[in-house]
Amino acid sequence: MSRRNHVDPVPPTRPTSSRRRRALLLATVLLTWAATLSPASPALAAGYERGPAPTTATLDAARGPFAVSQERVYSWRASGFGGGDIYYPTATDQGTFGVVAIAPGYTAGRSTMAWLASRIASHGFVVINIDTTTRSDQPTSRGRQLLAALDHVTGASAVRDRADASRQAVVGHSMGGGGALVAATSRPTLQAAVPLTPWNLTKSWSSLQVPTLVVGAERDSVASVRTHAEPFYESMPAALPKGYLELNNASHFAPVTTNSTIGRYTVAWLKRYVDDDLRYHPFLCPAPAPSSAIEEFRATC
């Protein structure tokens, strides 16, 4: 029988080794891409790095790596606080920035904290430095005003598009520091708090859930570390990320003028816990040794 028109069945082809390699490569790429979408992805858990890797020199400098602009918040436009100034990075290629509110001490105005507000902003934060509604406001009122200021930045300010409402912190001096503790206790979703030579009649902060750096001053005669900063720190939960920095030979008013030690550790604490930037961890843990500037530093590393 003629086989002219007969066609033998063609066996199914198998991928060549090069085709198999390409298929495996494509599968690997797809799996890697899918993993970046998972909330548990290491890429997403790395934090919000903003700016270059830190050094002691950059943290001690008067300005960080970001250029900063300033926006005035007039008292008649402020809801729940006395107005203030917003300092923010001018960069538009770094994504959004964490938000920090700062309160001054008893009888003081925002000018006393302006040096620190602009310095923090220059390291990649949107910072509102507030006036209180009256200069005699007590810590509880100052705490509420700090939270109102954060809400203003993220909800109503001209720079709200630069601010990340999920990453917020509070800082304050004296009664403003006591207010920072009040704010952190009442809003446990905050990422960090830094009370500076804080004053508050409440001594126990056992319910605090916010990573907190307490800064005291060895020669503070207004809010002595023995009756304020130290018991505040000791009362906080042992498992809480917390630090206690005591400035060597410093007074209650050390935070109201430029101070490189306060600047260094305030920025490092905010970067570590607001930005979750682990590049700043070595500046805090292990705790720095005593020096001409530091009387004592404790930390739950």
Side-chain angles (χ1 to χ4, degrees):
M1 182 174 79
S2 170
R3 298 177 56 91
R4 180 179 298 174
N5 296 322
H6 177 75
V7 178
D8 289 327
V10 178
T13 59
R14 300 180 61 187
T16 65
S17 59
S18 61
R19 289 174 62 188
R20 285 198 300 272
R21 285 196 297 270
R22 287 196 298 270
L24 287 171
L25 177 61
L26 177 60
T28 301
V29 170
L30 291 174
L31 286 171
T32 302
W33 173 79
T36 65
L37 303 180
S38 168
S41 167
L44 294 180
Y48 300 84
E49 292 185 357
R50 300 289 186 267
T55 65
T56 299
T58 59
L59 284 175
D60 286 352
R63 289 290 180 271
F66 289 94
V68 171
S69 288
Q70 186 174 338
E71 176 82 15
R72 182 79 173 93
V73 181
Y74 293 97
S75 59
W76 57 270
R77 296 186 62 183
S79 177
F81 63 105
D85 295 308
I86 301 175
Y87 301 84
Y88 61 95
T90 58
T92 57
D93 61 346
Q94 296 283 313
T96 54
F97 299 94
V99 186
V100 182
I102 303 179
Y106 184 67
T107 74
R110 70 186 188 280
S111 62
T112 59
M113 292 285 96
W115 77 269
L116 184 59
S118 59
R119 188 169 183 148
I120 293 170
S122 72
H123 284 274
F125 294 96
V126 177
V127 183
I128 182 164
N129 182 36
I130 71 169
D131 279 324
T132 47
T133 52
T134 77
R135 294 199 173 194
S136 60
D137 289 338
Q138 297 298 296
T140 298
S141 174
R142 290 169 191 263
R144 289 195 297 265
Q145 293 180 59
L146 282 167
L147 297 180
L150 290 173
D151 294 341
H152 175 83
V153 171
T154 58
S157 77
V159 297
R160 60 187 178 274
D161 60 327
R162 296 173 183 265
D164 184 345
S166 70
R167 297 187 290 122
Q168 301 183 6
V170 288
V171 177
H173 170 235
S174 190
M175 282 194 181
L181 290 168
V182 171
T185 301
S186 61
R187 187 177 288 183
T189 55
L190 295 179
Q191 304 298 304
V194 184
L196 304 168
T197 60
W199 188 99
N200 201 307
L201 291 176
T202 300
K203 305 304 178 185
S204 177
W205 302 94
S206 59
S207 64
L208 192 68
Q209 300 176 42
V210 175
T212 300
L213 173 65
V214 180
V215 179
E218 182 187 16
R219 297 187 180 275
D220 192 335
S221 60
V222 177
S224 72
V225 294
R226 183 176 61 83
T227 59
H228 290 78
E230 286 191 280
F232 294 171
Y233 172 81
E234 292 295 340
S235 71
M236 296 172 190
L240 180 73
K242 61 178 182 175
Y244 173 74
L245 164 62
E246 186 173 318
L247 302 169
N248 187 35
N249 199 32
S251 79
H252 181 71
F253 301 100
V256 305
T257 56
T258 302
N259 185 300
S260 62
T261 305
I262 291 174
R264 179 195 304 180
Y265 293 108
T266 299
V267 168
W269 194 266
L270 295 174
K271 295 293 279 188
R272 171 62 184 86
Y273 290 104
V274 177
D275 285 357
D276 198 23
D277 190 337
L278 297 180
R279 297 178 299 174
Y280 290 81
H281 188 76
F283 293 93
L284 303 167
C285 293
S291 66
S292 60
I294 298 173
E295 172 67 18
E296 181 184 4
F297 200 119
R298 309 177 213 168
T300 54
C301 297

